[in-house]
Amino acid sequence: MSELLKVDNLIKNFGGLTAVSDVTMHLNSNELVALIGPNGAGKTTLFNLLTGVITPSSGSVVLAGKEGTFPLNNKKAYQIAKLGLSRTFQNIRLFKEMTVLDNVLIAMTSRYKEGFVSSILRFPSYYRTEREMKEEAIKLLKIFSLDQQTETLAKNLPYGIQRRLEIVRALSTKPQILFLDEPAAGMNPEETADLTRLIIEVQKEFHITVLLIEHDMSLVMQVAQRIYVLDHGSLLAEGSPKEIQQNPAVIKAYLGEEA
């Protein structure tokens, strides 16, 4: 595996509060990594730093992409997305009044550039691009068993299916790295089991790197190859699922007691 994302000494201060403290970590190509920790550990803040939602106070984030090495520190979220980093959010952020298909098509527009004149005058290239996008979107939806609901409004989907659509939308940008922020939040056991299978299939089918924040430890232990543990903004441990389960410092952070 080659190193795909390198994070060095990352710090984020909000006034007198240090939300992320001197975090150094890496993600390899084509691996599934989990980021876990108690509530308030700084996991989502770290995600926001890595995806350009907020800027770090110090430290560096560097992507070793297919076309070279790219520092991400001063880039906007949309610029980082174009470089191949895509994410879902803890709170679902679909366009609720739009159809399943349109939610995916909107995400794909960053990859399909059609000139202003062509769009206004509806040149043949405009219709060709429109057709290609729709075909690609439906093909992707079919993988996730959503191709029969293309005209359904996102707000009318069951909660678990909305989560699935959000993952499809993130994948439609063809990312190198997919960040999933608590995808099982609010799901019942059956939905969580379906999601577990889906995450494994996504990583294998698309050959991408996945970084997952999740509180459901049964899901994490089933899907993760490596795990980072964050506590009070600092990295507490890193290792395989078995190593993390047996780590006394991790047990203490979660349970408040020695192993």
Side-chain angles (χ1 to χ4, degrees):
M1 291 185 185
S2 59
E3 191 172 86
L4 185 58
L5 191 74
K6 179 65 176 175
V7 181
D8 282 314
N9 309 114
L10 203 62
I11 295 174
K12 181 59 182 180
N13 298 316
F14 294 101
L17 172 68
T18 300
V20 172
S21 178
D22 200 28
V23 168
T24 294
M25 61 186 291
H26 71 278
L27 299 176
N28 296 320
S29 60
N30 197 27
E31 71 167 346
L32 207 159
V33 180
L35 177 66
I36 66 172
N39 288 327
K43 302 182 297 296
T44 294
T45 300
L46 180 56
F47 254 38
N48 289 339
L49 290 169
L50 299 182
T51 55
V53 176
I54 57 177
T55 57
S57 301
S58 62
S60 66
V61 182
V62 177
L63 174 69
K66 298 174 183 177
E67 300 178 0
T69 300
F70 301 93
L72 302 183
N73 283 47
N74 297 315
K75 287 185 166 47
K76 304 294 185 183
Y78 75 90
Q79 295 172 317
I80 291 176
K82 286 183 178 180
L83 288 172
L85 280 70
S86 189
R87 69 171 294 177
T88 64
F89 290 85
Q90 189 172 342
N91 299 313
I92 295 174
R93 297 190 183 183
L94 296 172
F95 297 104
K96 298 294 183 70
E97 299 297 330
M98 299 181 71
T99 67
V100 166
L101 180 60
D102 284 341
N103 265 273
V104 179
L105 290 174
I106 283 179
M108 292 171 62
T109 54
S110 63
R111 295 195 293 109
Y112 285 87
K113 298 297 183 183
E114 196 63 35
F116 175 77
V117 174
S118 177
S119 299
I120 295 297
L121 299 180
R122 296 296 196 265
F123 288 163
S125 61
Y126 171 85
Y127 292 104
R128 183 171 60 252
T129 297
E130 187 178 57
R131 183 174 64 253
E132 290 173 357
M133 287 176 61
K134 187 173 181 179
E135 288 173 354
E136 184 180 346
I138 292 175
K139 183 178 179 180
L140 188 57
L141 287 165
K142 188 173 184 178
I143 294 173
F144 291 84
S145 302
L146 287 170
D147 55 309
Q148 300 302 311
Q149 296 174 290
T150 56
E151 299 306 315
T152 301
L153 294 181
K155 69 178 182 180
N156 294 332
L157 295 172
Y159 181 83
I161 304 301
Q162 288 189 30
R163 283 284 185 189
R164 187 181 299 183
L165 175 58
E166 193 174 37
I167 294 173
V168 173
R169 190 174 63 176
L171 285 171
S172 71
T173 65
K174 290 195 173 180
Q176 297 182 70
I177 306 175
L178 176 63
F179 295 84
L180 301 176
D181 192 352
E182 294 194 34
M187 288 188 174
N188 60 42
E190 183 179 351
E191 290 172 332
T192 300
D194 287 340
L195 178 69
T196 301
R197 290 190 293 271
L198 179 63
I199 291 172
I200 294 171
E201 290 171 6
V202 162
Q203 200 271 330
K204 289 182 178 179
E205 172 80 18
F206 295 93
H207 305 289
I208 61 174
T209 297
V210 176
L211 181 61
L212 166 76
I213 292 177
E214 188 50 66
H215 285 291
D216 189 317
M217 288 300 100
S218 64
L219 187 157
V220 168
M221 295 303 166
Q222 285 184 68
V223 305
Q225 296 165 293
R226 288 193 299 123
I227 299 173
Y228 285 103
V229 185
L230 203 65
D231 186 32
H232 294 94
S234 300
L235 278 181
L236 182 64
E238 183 259 333
S240 67
K242 184 176 181 180
E243 290 170 335
I244 295 301
Q245 285 177 313
Q246 298 174 349
N247 188 305
V250 175
I251 295 172
K252 184 177 181 180
Y254 269 97
L255 303 179
E257 58 187 33
E258 300 291 349

